[in-house]
Amino acid sequence: MATCSITFLETLKNKLSFGSTRSILLNCLPGKLTSRLPLNDLDQIKKNFSTDFIQKLTTELDFDMKFSIKYINTRKNEPKENIDPNHEINKKISLVDRRLSSIKYDHEDIQKELGVETFGFGFPLIILKNHQDSSKLIVAPLLIWQLDIKQNYDHQNSWVISRKTDSSILTNDALRSYLNAEFKFDIPALPEQMTEDGIIQKIELETYIKDVKAKLNISDSKELDWSTVETIPEKGTIQLEDGFDSKIILNGIFGIYKSQKQSLI
């Protein structure tokens, strides 16, 4: 009988520790998937939603973010040269609507089947270039906030994204396992004093992000701008600065985060 080499077993162990690189934990770019929703897409539904949400996330233990999806009335039967521009806006609103519904149904199905809450918000995002194959990129959340999502079946198509006092903030253990396996280093752990009150404030997040940048040798002198949310690039358009293999984006993804075990709060 053929025996397995130690190297093969170590490789297999590492792969099993972080799972598939296509999962939301290591590749959260939405692409054509309806099960992932960028935070700033909700600005199309409610003005300044993204900055208001980050403000609540970093200051409040218990909050509700309410909004309604409303389509814009458009002109019909117009010739191509006179097509109402609101048609394109409604297409974007429709995509947000479909993604919210898909995420909500997945969340409810898993909750009924397994009794666990899986809806969350991954933030901020880190982009990493694979040392062995520069064409492959990892786009992953550093941290994950456990949340809840509800839809009210009324004429206004209203939604609520909420956080409760006992909701957890989780490390992305799949990302840490991936970094250990592929890069032979780990991202800094969150200091206990940051998580004692159940809230990670903006100034604490800035400190943590700076520590991560230092660990990954990310040279970025600009200050974080909390007044706006960066756009998440499409996979084919991601650009990293010359000489650097990683980047941090001040934006996040709503979705279903399973495979998380270590709770910080």
Side-chain angles (χ1 to χ4, degrees):
M1 180 183 294
T3 58
C4 294
S5 69
I6 298 297
T7 302
F8 171 79
L9 292 175
E10 283 296 324
T11 301
L12 179 60
K13 178 182 176 182
N14 289 333
K15 294 293 183 182
L16 291 174
S17 67
F18 58 77
S20 172
T21 55
R22 297 181 180 179
S23 75
I24 191 173
L25 298 170
L26 294 176
N27 182 11
C28 63
L29 292 177
K32 295 182 180 180
L33 297 173
T34 58
S35 56
R36 301 171 189 178
L37 176 65
L39 169 61
N40 59 309
D41 278 10
L42 285 167
D43 289 338
Q44 301 172 88
I45 308 300
K46 185 175 182 180
K47 186 178 180 180
N48 299 325
F49 182 95
S50 58
T51 52
D52 292 344
F53 178 81
I54 294 298
Q55 177 64 19
K56 286 184 176 293
L57 194 73
T58 54
T59 58
E60 300 180 25
L61 266 177
D62 189 328
F63 65 81
D64 293 330
M65 289 289 289
K66 300 179 180 180
F67 56 94
S68 297
I69 295 180
K70 300 176 182 178
Y71 291 89
I72 303 171
N73 291 328
T74 57
R75 300 188 302 269
K76 297 181 179 180
N77 301 320
E78 293 282 343
K80 288 184 178 181
E81 61 271 17
N82 294 327
I83 290 178
D84 192 329
N86 287 329
H87 281 299
E88 291 302 316
I89 297 176
N90 280 340
K91 284 183 181 180
K92 294 178 181 179
I93 294 173
S94 176
L95 179 58
V96 173
D97 197 352
R98 294 199 309 272
R99 282 178 164 162
L100 282 169
S101 297
S102 178
I103 291 170
K104 184 206 68 164
Y105 288 131
D106 287 347
H107 173 64
E108 291 177 346
D109 288 346
I110 295 171
Q111 189 176 26
K112 290 176 182 177
E113 182 178 354
L114 303 176
V116 294
E117 304 279 347
T118 54
F119 174 65
F121 178 65
F123 173 82
L125 306 181
I126 184 168
I127 300 175
L128 292 166
K129 186 186 295 183
N130 190 308
H131 285 173
Q132 298 178 355
D133 186 348
S134 59
S135 66
K136 294 183 179 179
L137 293 173
I138 295 295
V139 184
L142 289 175
L143 303 171
I144 298 162
W145 276 258
Q146 183 186 43
L147 303 170
D148 194 15
I149 184 170
K150 301 288 185 185
Q151 180 181 14
N152 295 321
Y153 294 95
D154 53 22
H155 66 284
Q156 294 183 335
N157 192 12
S158 55
W159 293 78
V160 181
I161 292 177
S162 59
R163 186 187 182 211
K164 304 305 179 186
T165 54
D166 58 349
S167 297
S168 300
I169 301 176
L170 310 170
T171 55
N172 187 347
D173 289 333
L175 174 61
R176 298 185 69 182
S177 296
Y178 175 83
L179 290 174
N180 274 317
E182 301 293 330
F183 294 83
K184 307 305 179 186
F185 63 74
D186 197 358
I187 54 178
L190 276 171
E192 289 186 9
Q193 63 268 25
M194 282 191 186
T195 61
E196 287 177 350
D197 59 358
I199 298 173
I200 302 179
Q201 300 176 5
K202 289 179 181 177
I203 190 170
E204 294 173 324
L205 264 175
E206 287 181 4
T207 300
Y208 180 67
I209 290 172
K210 287 180 180 178
D211 289 343
V212 173
K213 285 183 174 181
K215 185 75 173 180
L216 297 177
N217 191 29
I218 301 176
S219 178
D220 188 356
S221 58
K222 70 177 183 179
E223 297 294 325
L224 294 175
D225 184 3
W226 294 99
S227 65
T228 186
V229 172
E230 296 180 63
T231 300
I232 300 173
E234 295 292 333
K235 186 174 183 180
T237 65
I238 294 176
Q239 293 183 342
L240 300 175
E241 293 184 33
D242 292 341
F244 297 98
D245 295 333
S246 49
K247 177 181 180 181
I248 291 178
I249 296 178
L250 202 61
N251 199 340
I253 297 288
F254 293 104
I256 301 300
Y257 292 90
K258 294 185 279 190
S259 305
Q260 286 292 303
K261 298 179 181 180
Q262 182 181 3
S263 173
L264 287 173
I265 298 177

